[in-house]
């Protein structure tokens, strides 16, 4: 009997790093290759990506990489994957346009094979037949995937919500989804990001009334901070600005690039003479201009944070400005956003957040969207994906308690590194692999091993103690007083006598060591490190990183 294997490398129990292998027989496709923003950022890490080395054992099985949409948590790790496994890529026109920018930065654009697909295109790759189902999300040209195999059909939702009135494009294609539901779906891999939220996720058009009211009342400049990829929101800003006789100036590299790209592809429809440059914007009265800027997450190098905390190209937020934060807070960014909001208030501006007015809507399915998805697809098994574990669990509980026919046996919770095996009748986890993330320093050395990050944490929390011991080459006895240098270790100062106590304690240790213990210098250094560690823990309670050196003279 044929088997299917589902192997998530990221995106399960966390935000970001979405990546999943789906294997049938001796063939495997990969769905998405996304990046995340790790908590380890203070230790010199810019982003995290899945540990693609896991796929090395499947190198001969890999056939294609399928992209559901163009958000960074789904395509941001693409160059790092392709450097290891150069396989064909399938995605929508806009998704691949965003991906091309990433690939070009890594000098990979001419080395990879990109296949542009449209909604309802069907491709066949070995054991897999894949139909791209038009999905609605905060981005455009997004897909859910119907993956037909000899074992059965999988529906991978990607990121989605059931939006009946999107600003750009058509509603979610429930008709095609229902076709697969009628034929029989083995498993539904379903976005859990908003599984804790009751009701339906509002439509992208639902923000328009609040924007119109704010634009009609704002006395001065309007500054809108949003995700540069939220094209529905950008279209709303352009349309409402035009309706209230305001010009729009776009600021920020990613915002400028995405507006240009979406305009070239006919996805953004900017009213005539509405978009202007920075120079022209300076000559207008305050009530004639809207600035559409990056930095809704409080990023220190983005436009909004610079305008709030200092200046951006000679401009700063001033009294009379109205600032709209038209984006959700990504977990982990709360402190940066709070600090930025404080700076904006200090400058006397009025700030409007999504908690005060409906100026942002999520791109992810809430509970009633999940109900529609599940009842339309009618899968035998539901596998919650995308989100923290509590969200996966809440999706399971919602479906079990509110949709007839589903029990604990039908809804399988998985984790990164699990191998979930399915056949026509059953689904179960057959193995688990411990996967360490790969960290990336985009401005430095590229990939950083997890052990290095762990060492950096130790340095940050405990400080450093450097120990230099000089011994006689012949007698192996101490020649000079041990040299001890301390950096960042709590409780030890140059004037409190602790350093001298450490020197004396180490001298006693060295003098107590036998001659033969110095034959293996690595053994001797490790012994000194352990002894100094014990002394420090006993005397100060600290656990610094210790670097011992033995010099023979």
């Amino acid at each position: 009997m044929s088997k299917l294997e589902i192997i998530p490398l990221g995106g399960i129990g966390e935000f970001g790093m979405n990546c999943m292998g789906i294997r049938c027989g001796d063939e495997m496709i990969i769905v998405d290759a996304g990046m995340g923003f790790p908590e380890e950022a203070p230790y010199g890490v810019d982003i995290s990506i899945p540990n693609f080395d896991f796929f090395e054992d499947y190198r001969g099985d890999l056939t294609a990489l399928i992209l559901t949409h163009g958000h960074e948590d789904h395509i941001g790790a693409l160059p790092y994957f392709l450097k290891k496994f150069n396989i064909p890529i399938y995605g929508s026109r806009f998704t691949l346009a965003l991906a091309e920018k990433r690939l070009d930065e890594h000098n990979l654009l001419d080395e990879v094979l990109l296949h542009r697909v449209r909604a309802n295109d069907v491709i066949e790759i070995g054991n897999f037949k894949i139909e791209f189902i038009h999905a609605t999300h905060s981005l455009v040209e997004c897909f859910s995937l119907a993956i037909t195999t000899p074992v059965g059909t999988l529906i991978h939702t990607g990121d989605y919500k059931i939006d009946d009135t999107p600003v750009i494009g058509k509603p979610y294609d429930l008709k095609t989804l229902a076709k697969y539901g009628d034929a029989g779906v083995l498993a539904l891999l379903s976005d859990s990001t908003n599984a804790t939220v009751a009701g339906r996720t509002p439509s992208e058009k639902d923000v328009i009334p609040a924007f119109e009211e704010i634009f009609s009342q704002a006395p001065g400049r309007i500054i809108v901070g949003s995700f540069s990829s939220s094209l529905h929101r950008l279209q709303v800003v352009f349309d409402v600005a035009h309706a209230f006789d305001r010009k729009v100036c776009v600021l920020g590299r990613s915002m400028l690039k995405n507006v240009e790209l979406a305009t070239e592809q006919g996805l953004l429809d900017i009213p005539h003479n509405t978009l202007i440059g920075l120079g022209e914007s300076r000559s207008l009265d305050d009530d004639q201009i809207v600035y559409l800027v990056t930095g809704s997450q409080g990023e220190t190098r983005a436009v909004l944070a610079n305008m709030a905390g200092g200046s951006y190209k000679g401009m700063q937020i001033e009294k009379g400005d109205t600032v709209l934060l038209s984006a959700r807070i990504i977990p982990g960014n709360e402190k940066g956003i709070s600090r930025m909001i404080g700076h904006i208030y200090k400058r006397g501006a009025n700030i409007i957040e999504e908690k005060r007015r409906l100026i942002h809507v999520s791109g992810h399915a809430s509970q009633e969207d999940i109900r529609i998805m599940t009842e339309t697809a009618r899968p035998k098994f539901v596998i919650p994906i995308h989100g923290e574990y509590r969200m996966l669990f809440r999706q399971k509980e919602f479906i079990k308690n509110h949709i007839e026919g589903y029990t604990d046996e039908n809804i399988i919770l998985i984790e990164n590194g699990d191998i979930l095996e399915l056949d026509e009748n059953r689904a179960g986890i057959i193995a688990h692999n411990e996967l360490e993330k790969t960290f990336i320093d985009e401005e430095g050395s590229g990939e950083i091993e997890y052990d290095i990050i762990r060492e950096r944490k130790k340095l940050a929390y405990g400080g450093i103690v450097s120990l230099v011991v000089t011994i006689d080459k012949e007698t192996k006895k101490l020649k000079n007083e041990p040299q001890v240098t301390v950096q960042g270790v709590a409780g030890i100062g140059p004037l409190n006598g602790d350093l001298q106590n450490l020197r004396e304690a180490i001298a006693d240790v060295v003098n107590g060591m036998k001659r033969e213990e110095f034959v293996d210098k690595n053994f001797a250094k490790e012994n000194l490190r352990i002894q100094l560690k014990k002394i420090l823990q006993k005397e100060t309670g600290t656990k610094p990183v210790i670097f011992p050196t033995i010099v023979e003279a």
Side-chain angles (χ1 to χ4, degrees):
M1 182 183 291
S2 298
K3 306 273 188 182
L4 264 175
E5 289 181 350
I6 295 173
I7 311 171
L9 263 65
I12 310 292
E14 64 188 349
F15 287 111
M17 292 208 320
N18 296 288
C19 182
M20 176 178 288
I22 301 175
R23 187 168 182 252
C24 183
D26 59 356
E27 297 173 345
M28 178 186 284
I29 60 171
I30 309 298
V31 178
D32 292 330
M35 71 180 194
F37 298 96
E39 296 177 0
E40 287 81 0
Y43 307 103
V45 172
D46 295 313
I47 62 173
S48 58
I49 63 173
N51 188 346
F52 294 127
D53 289 339
F54 172 83
F55 287 130
E56 193 62 48
D57 291 340
Y58 300 92
R59 178 176 286 275
D61 298 350
L62 300 177
T63 57
L65 173 58
I66 314 297
L67 301 177
T68 58
H69 67 287
H71 276 142
E72 289 290 327
D73 59 332
H74 292 259
I75 69 167
L78 195 56
Y80 305 99
F81 176 88
L82 291 171
K83 288 174 184 177
K84 298 178 185 290
F85 310 100
N86 194 343
I87 58 177
I89 305 166
Y90 293 81
S92 71
R93 177 187 55 164
F94 188 67
T95 298
L96 292 185
L98 294 173
E100 284 174 349
K101 294 183 180 298
R102 276 258 165 199
L103 297 177
D104 192 37
E105 292 171 359
H106 289 258
N107 298 314
L108 290 171
L109 191 54
D110 296 330
E111 300 179 18
V112 298
L113 183 60
L114 304 176
H115 296 281
R116 288 166 177 77
V117 293
R118 298 180 179 180
N120 298 121
D121 281 355
V122 178
I123 61 172
E124 294 194 30
I125 306 170
N127 288 324
F128 301 93
K129 184 167 76 171
I130 304 168
E131 180 167 2
F132 296 87
I133 301 173
H134 171 72
T136 45
H137 183 44
S138 55
L139 196 58
V140 298
E141 293 194 352
C142 305
F143 295 134
S144 296
L145 307 173
I147 305 169
T148 302
T149 76
V151 181
T153 297
L154 306 177
I155 301 294
H156 188 299
T157 68
D159 286 356
Y160 82 100
K161 65 178 177 181
I162 307 297
D163 193 340
D164 300 322
T165 58
V167 174
I168 301 172
K170 299 177 180 179
Y172 190 99
D173 185 3
L174 290 172
K175 182 178 179 181
T176 298
L177 181 66
K179 177 187 71 174
Y180 285 96
D182 292 341
V185 171
L186 177 62
L188 172 68
L189 303 160
S190 182
D191 178 13
S192 305
T193 307
N194 272 358
T196 61
V197 181
R200 288 279 299 274
T201 300
S203 167
E204 292 294 328
K205 279 191 175 178
D206 289 347
V207 304
I208 293 176
F211 269 84
E212 290 177 335
E213 185 175 356
I214 293 166
F215 276 47
S216 70
Q217 296 173 352
R221 298 185 305 177
I222 297 175
I223 301 164
V224 181
S226 181
F227 295 121
S228 61
S229 59
S230 296
L231 296 192
H232 299 280
R233 197 69 36 76
L234 307 191
Q235 185 68 63
V236 168
V237 171
F238 283 116
D239 289 343
V240 176
H242 179 70
F244 287 91
D245 295 321
R246 287 180 181 258
K247 306 295 184 182
V248 178
C249 176
V250 177
L251 300 176
R253 186 175 64 176
S254 63
M255 188 75 77
L256 284 163
K257 284 184 177 179
N258 284 357
V259 167
E260 180 183 3
L261 183 62
T263 304
E264 288 175 356
Q265 296 196 354
L267 296 168
L268 272 180
D269 182 14
I270 301 176
H272 183 61
N273 286 335
T274 298
L275 181 62
I276 62 171
L278 179 59
E280 187 178 351
S281 74
R282 297 179 192 272
S283 65
L284 297 178
D285 293 336
D286 287 351
D287 61 357
Q288 295 178 312
I289 186 67
V290 176
Y291 289 102
L292 183 55
V293 305
T294 57
S296 62
Q297 300 303 299
E299 306 97 314
T300 56
R301 289 180 287 185
V303 175
L304 190 54
N306 279 295
M307 291 182 71
S311 68
Y312 176 81
K313 296 187 177 181
M315 293 195 312
Q316 59 187 21
I317 291 174
E318 301 171 351
K319 187 176 182 179
D321 292 340
T322 299
V323 179
L324 281 70
L325 288 183
S326 183
R328 74 178 178 94
I329 297 176
I330 296 176
N333 293 341
E334 293 88 353
K335 287 184 178 180
I337 294 173
S338 179
R339 183 167 51 248
M340 181 180 70
I341 289 173
H343 288 313
I344 292 172
Y345 278 130
K346 282 183 180 180
R347 292 188 176 277
N350 179 33
I351 185 164
I352 301 173
E353 309 164 60
E354 63 165 327
K355 293 179 180 179
R356 293 175 55 192
R357 303 284 285 278
L358 187 59
I359 58 172
H360 171 71
V361 293
S362 174
H364 296 273
S366 299
Q367 290 176 354
E368 291 304 316
D369 299 271
I370 291 171
R371 182 199 295 274
I372 293 170
M373 171 64 68
T374 308
E375 291 180 342
T376 305
R378 301 196 302 282
K380 181 174 290 186
F381 301 105
V382 176
I383 304 164
I385 60 173
H386 298 180
E388 296 174 350
Y389 194 86
R390 66 185 177 92
M391 299 165 181
L392 310 180
F393 184 83
R394 287 291 293 275
Q395 178 167 186
K396 176 178 180 175
E397 291 299 293
F398 175 78
I399 292 174
K400 186 174 68 174
N401 294 326
H402 294 87
I403 302 178
E404 187 177 351
Y406 290 95
T407 65
D408 287 328
E409 288 70 31
N410 301 101
I411 310 168
I412 298 99
L413 297 183
I414 58 175
E415 299 184 63
N416 294 332
D418 283 345
I419 299 180
L420 175 65
E421 185 180 81
L422 301 95
D423 59 28
E424 291 88 343
N425 301 308
R426 60 171 295 279
I429 297 168
I430 61 170
H432 176 76
N433 301 275
E434 289 298 330
L435 300 177
E436 292 182 344
K437 299 176 182 178
T438 299
F439 300 101
I440 303 295
D441 174 5
E442 290 193 305
E443 296 182 358
S445 58
E447 294 189 13
I448 302 175
E449 296 177 358
Y450 185 75
D451 287 345
I452 293 177
I453 301 302
R454 190 156 42 204
E455 194 70 15
R456 288 180 180 180
K457 284 183 177 180
K458 291 180 182 177
L459 293 171
Y461 286 118
I464 305 170
V465 175
S466 297
L467 170 65
V468 179
V469 172
T470 304
I471 62 173
D472 186 273
K473 185 182 296 186
E474 300 299 329
T475 66
K476 307 300 182 185
K477 293 298 182 182
L478 192 65
K479 288 193 69 172
N480 303 312
E481 185 179 53
Q483 299 176 34
V484 181
T485 304
V486 175
Q487 292 179 295
V489 180
I492 300 179
L495 302 178
N496 63 5
D498 288 335
L499 280 178
Q500 184 58 35
N501 293 338
L502 287 177
R503 295 187 191 102
E504 293 173 0
I506 288 296
D508 291 340
V509 171
V510 176
N511 289 328
M513 292 174 67
K514 298 177 181 179
R515 178 185 176 88
E516 55 267 25
E517 290 182 279
F518 288 99
V519 174
D520 185 340
K521 191 173 287 188
N522 288 330
F523 172 82
K525 288 198 299 184
E526 180 63 11
N527 185 41
L528 289 176
R529 189 191 70 80
I530 292 172
Q531 296 303 322
L532 181 53
K533 178 182 177 182
K534 290 179 179 178
I535 295 168
L536 286 166
Q537 286 182 340
K538 180 180 179 181
E539 299 298 327
T540 68
T542 58
K543 297 180 180 180
V545 177
I546 300 170
F547 295 102
T549 303
I550 297 176
V551 178
E552 293 187 352

